[in-house]
Amino acid sequence: MTDDFPEMPDFDPKLTKKAVRRGVLRTAAIVLAVLALLAVAVTGGSHLVQTRGDREQRMAAVLGTAFKMYSPAYRVSLGTCCQTTPTSMFMEVTAAPLRPVGAEWPVGANRYTIEQNLFGRVGHLPLGSTANTRLSQSLYDVGTSLARKDAVRKVLARLPGDLTALAVVEFAEPLPEAELKAFITTHNTCVERVSYERRPGSLSITWGSDFWSDGLSPDQARKMMEMDGCHGGLPEFRAWVGQLRDHDEANLRSFTLSLDRLRKAAGDGLAYAYVDQLSSVEKLRKVLEDPRVRTIRLADVAFNLDKP
């Protein structure tokens, strides 16, 4: 009986090496393709999980606005929300220190990132207590015994009256909304920020009339600025606090805020101090003599180059 099997070829080391190399390359290509598909699936799945429902809108509305309250000495602008990584969602913000109107502004603003992880918890935050500007310190000093009226009077007397100033005006007793508006009308001024809480040596709850414009439609924002742009924005502050949820508490604490404090401040609506970046030194001298004013803390001055 004859053997039907063909003869085995002679062993060729070169051909064997080529075959092994092809096998290794083919296996590596398959593994890389699988890993790439897994990476796409994980990234895409993570993006869908992190952006489900209204998480993007709430990140901008809650964390973006809370960051403005966390840095009241800065003009903060929110970027487009939001971008994701496999483990987090983040948005960029720009911030520039407030200056007196007419002052030379810094060249561009600094960029910062607000990031929350897969569980919705915010990470390390810039600025806040580390934002050591004169305005930040002036806001921290609200309620302290520093800057007595007689000392401030002497400082203002030494300065040219036509200098535009950046100052924190503190009230002897907190003013309700109607009385704050009456005060603003009396002195023909405009408040940039309002402190609705007194916490000596700490960051108090401070609200700006432009803080909640990111949560409003363009038409609503325009009407808000026309009607209330100089009065502290208490209705918008109350609207923002009203849409907060109990599970926001953990993140709010990262911004040195709490739901209890926010709800109390919004409910009381009492103005303890305000930031003025528009008044001249001469006007501040008159404001200082108002019996409703406890003191004024001067943070910055600048010549108004547009004034003839």
Side-chain angles (χ1 to χ4, degrees), residues 207-221:
W207 183 265
S209 57
D210 61 328
F211 281 10
W212 187 222
S213 57
D214 299 292
L216 305 174
S217 69
D219 186 56
Q220 288 174 316

Side-chain angles (χ1 to χ4, degrees), residues 55-57 59-60 79-83 89-91:
R55 292 192 78 200
E56 287 181 289
Q57 293 86 345
M59 183 174 185
T80 302
C81 186
C82 299
Q83 301 178 62
M89 182 164 63
F90 66 94
M91 65 179 176

Side-chain angles (χ1 to χ4, degrees), residues 179-190:
E179 292 183 27
L180 175 63
K181 290 183 177 180
F183 179 92
I184 292 169
T185 300
T186 298
H187 293 285
N188 190 28
T189 189
C190 182

